[in-house]
Amino acid sequence: MPLLDPPLTPPPKVKLSRLRDIGWSVWDPIGLIGADQKWNDEDCLPFADEYDSYLLQAAGRLRRGEAASDVASYLAKIEVEYIGLGGPFQVALARAKKVVQAIQADTKLWTYPQPILNLLPFNALHSAHPASNSLHRSNTTLRCTPTPRLVSSASDCTTVGSVW
């Protein structure tokens, strides 16, 4: 998982269904679903979002580079102190570490939108305007390197106009 997004790249989005799969199968500190149930079963849908805010916070922290141990501690504190289940902190921490490992291991948890530069028309990427070394799209002008070539990253261009 990249820690920083490349310039001009929209931030990734989390696939909530995958995050819920992890949360409900590995964590479920309240024990709302049985071993033979899934969070998206008809009778579980009314409380399917029960852990979303905690799991989204954990996934976001990991994506931004926070230490796995700190994120596991966060989840364990949520379980023991905030939800108020009491119980031994070390047991909650062990379960939280499994959640963190599962989040880190899931290669399909995040969807990465296409970088803005890749949204330019294909032919515009291959040749800059010879007189100005600029690419134009809508009301945005990108000034590119002096030699017309394939624009492959934001470092090849600087924004001259407004970004669309």
Side-chain angles (χ1 to χ4, degrees), residues 130-153:
S132 66
N133 293 325
S134 298
L135 296 175
H136 301 278
R137 175 174 173 135
S138 175
N139 62 346
T140 301
T141 301
L142 298 175
R143 188 152 330 275
C144 300
T145 55
T147 307
R149 63 184 177 92
L150 177 64
V151 176
S152 59
S153 72

Side-chain angles (χ1 to χ4, degrees), residues 1-160:
M1 234 181 315
L3 298 180
L4 299 174
D5 301 320
L8 299 176
T9 301
K13 297 182 189 243
V14 69
K15 289 185 182 175
L16 186 57
S17 61
R18 293 187 73 86
L19 193 58
R20 284 181 176 172
D21 288 342
I22 293 168
W24 286 103
S25 65
V26 181
W27 196 36
D28 188 15
I30 301 173
L32 292 174
I33 62 174
D36 60 335
Q37 292 180 302
K38 301 280 186 203
W39 66 266
N40 54 357
D41 289 347
E42 184 80 27
D43 54 336
C44 298
L45 288 178
F47 53 84
D49 65 348
E50 183 69 25
Y51 307 129
D52 287 0
S53 63
Y54 313 126
L55 295 168
L56 287 166
Q57 183 71 231
R61 288 179 175 195
L62 290 167
R63 191 186 145 311
R64 289 187 300 276
E66 191 169 324
S69 59
D70 292 344
V71 177
S73 289
Y74 159 76
L75 288 172
K77 285 179 186 175
I78 291 295
E79 179 178 336
V80 174
E81 297 172 12
Y82 186 74
I83 296 175
L85 296 177
F89 183 80
Q90 293 305 319
V91 172
L93 184 60
R95 187 171 28 252
K97 285 179 180 179
K98 291 178 183 176
V99 172
V100 167
Q101 290 170 349
I103 290 171
Q104 289 176 318
D106 192 330
T107 59
K108 296 181 181 176
L109 183 62
W110 297 97
T111 60
Y112 294 90
Q114 198 174 23
I116 291 172
L117 288 175
N118 288 346
L119 297 177
L120 291 170
F122 182 76
N123 60 349
L125 291 174
H126 285 281
S127 62
H129 186 277
S132 66
N133 293 325
S134 298
L135 296 175
H136 301 278
R137 175 174 173 135
S138 175
N139 62 346
T140 301
T141 301
L142 298 175
R143 188 152 330 275
C144 300
T145 55
T147 307
R149 63 184 177 92
L150 177 64
V151 176
S152 59
S153 72
S155 63
D156 292 337
C157 299
T158 57
T159 303
V160 176

